[in-house]
Amino acid sequence: ELAIKFDPKNVKAYRKKGLVYYGLKQYEEAEKLFEKAISLDPKNVQGYINLGMVKYSKGEKPEAKKIWKYSIDLNSDDNDAKAFNNIANLYKEEKLFEKAIEYYKLAAKDSPNNMMYISNLADVFRIKGEPEQAIKILKQSLKLNFPGMVTHFNLGMAYKDLKKYKEALNSFNKSLKVNDALTEAHYEIAEIQLFQKNRDLALDSIKSAIKSKPKNIKYQNLKDKILDS
C-alpha cells in the first residue's frame, strides 16, 4: 500500500499486491491490480503471466491461454518458460499431448536447469502410454541437475505403470526425502504395498497421507480398502 501511495506508477508494487490477493484467492482484486500494472507497462511480461493465472483460476482457460501466448510475443529476448509451461499444462488437461510436449520442450529450452519443466514433459509421455520414454528423460535430467522431489515422484509413477514396483517404491521414497509432506507419494506407496499384500506397511503410508490431508476422500477410501483387506 505504501509503495503505491508514494509512487502510484510503481509497476512492481501493483504486481506484488496482486500476488497477495491471488494467494488469498481474491481473484477479482488480483485481476484489477495486474491489469493496472499492465496499463502502466504494456510490455510487462510477468504482469500478463500473472493475469493469465487469474483467468485460469477463475475457469476462464481459453482467455488464460490467449494471454499467455500474447506474453510470449511481447519481447523476443526474454525468458518465456513460465508461459510455455502454463500453456503446456492446459494442453495436457485437454489431452492434446503432442501440443503439450511441444510447449514443455520450449519451456525446458528457455530454462534448461528447471527440473519442473523437464518432469512435466516426462509425465506427458507417461500419461500417453510411453513410460519408457518418461524414464529416459527423467534419468537424463537427474544426471544433469540436482534431483528434485517432482522428478523422483514422476519417475516412481513411470515405474509403477511398468509394474516395476521395487524401482517405483525407491523413487517415491526419494521424493519423500526431499519433502515428507508429499502426500501423493505416501498414497502411491500405500497402493503398491497393498497390491503386494503388505497390509501394515500400506496402512502406515496412507495414514501419513491422511495426516497431511485428513479430508481427502481418495485417501480415506484407500484406508478403508486396506482395513477391509
Side-chain angles (χ1 to χ4, degrees):
E1 291 287 350
L2 286 175
I4 293 173
K5 181 179 179 179
F6 289 111
D7 184 4
K9 293 185 178 181
N10 189 325
V11 175
K12 287 185 178 179
Y14 284 105
R15 278 193 55 243
K16 286 182 178 179
K17 188 176 179 182
L19 289 170
V20 171
Y21 278 111
Y22 180 79
L24 295 171
K25 297 184 179 181
Q26 296 182 25
Y27 299 130
E28 297 299 331
E29 290 300 318
E31 184 172 353
K32 290 176 185 176
L33 289 161
F34 294 139
E35 287 177 342
K36 179 64 176 179
I38 291 168
S39 71
L40 293 170
D41 181 6
K43 289 196 173 183
N44 189 282
V45 174
Q46 289 303 316
Y48 282 102
I49 291 173
N50 296 147
L51 181 60
M53 286 304 302
V54 171
K55 297 291 187 182
Y56 175 87
S57 298
K58 289 171 63 179
E60 301 172 19
K61 295 181 181 180
E63 184 65 18
K65 187 189 294 182
K66 181 181 177 181
I67 291 169
W68 288 327
K69 285 189 174 183
Y70 181 79
S71 75
I72 291 168
D73 295 329
L74 273 177
N75 298 312
S76 59
D77 59 347
D78 65 330
N79 188 313
D80 295 314
K82 288 182 181 178
F84 283 132
N85 183 71
N86 291 344
I87 293 168
N89 288 340
L90 280 176
Y91 281 128
K92 180 181 176 182
E93 288 181 17
E94 296 167 356
K95 301 188 186 304
L96 297 173
F97 298 130
E98 295 305 322
K99 293 295 292 184
I101 288 169
E102 175 188 345
Y103 276 84
Y104 281 136
K105 283 182 177 179
L106 289 169
K109 183 179 179 181
D110 262 15
S111 293
N113 293 322
N114 191 306
M115 300 290 285
M116 182 180 69
Y117 303 150
I118 297 171
S119 292
N120 287 346
L121 171 63
D123 198 48
V124 174
F125 279 106
R126 180 189 69 82
I127 291 170
K128 70 192 289 280
E130 300 179 37
E132 295 92 348
Q133 180 65 17
I135 290 169
K136 181 180 178 182
I137 292 169
L138 292 167
K139 281 187 172 181
Q140 287 175 344
S141 72
L142 288 175
K143 291 178 182 178
L144 297 172
N145 301 290
F146 183 77
M149 172 184 69
V150 176
T151 306
H152 283 301
F153 178 82
N154 285 344
L155 196 54
M157 293 299 293
Y159 280 128
K160 186 184 176 192
D161 286 355
L162 290 170
K163 296 181 170 55
K164 294 185 176 181
Y165 297 123
K166 180 179 178 181
E167 292 88 343
L169 288 171
N170 183 49
S171 293
F172 289 135
N173 280 315
K174 283 183 178 179
S175 72
L176 288 171
K177 285 183 179 179
V178 180
N179 183 1
D180 187 59
L182 182 60
T183 55
E184 281 297 303
H186 288 296
Y187 174 84
E188 296 296 339
I189 289 171
E191 276 206 327
I192 293 173
Q193 296 290 9
L194 177 61
F195 177 78
Q196 294 181 329
K197 302 187 185 307
N198 296 322
R199 183 179 182 275
D200 291 342
L201 291 175
L203 192 58
D204 287 343
S205 292
I206 199 60
K207 282 181 177 179
S208 295
I210 291 171
K211 184 178 179 181
S212 295
K213 294 185 177 180
K215 295 182 180 180
N216 188 294
I217 301 282
K218 182 175 75 169
Y219 298 168
Q220 293 289 352
N221 286 343
L222 182 57
K223 179 185 175 183
D224 292 341
K225 185 177 178 181
I226 293 167
L227 292 172
D228 292 338
S229 64

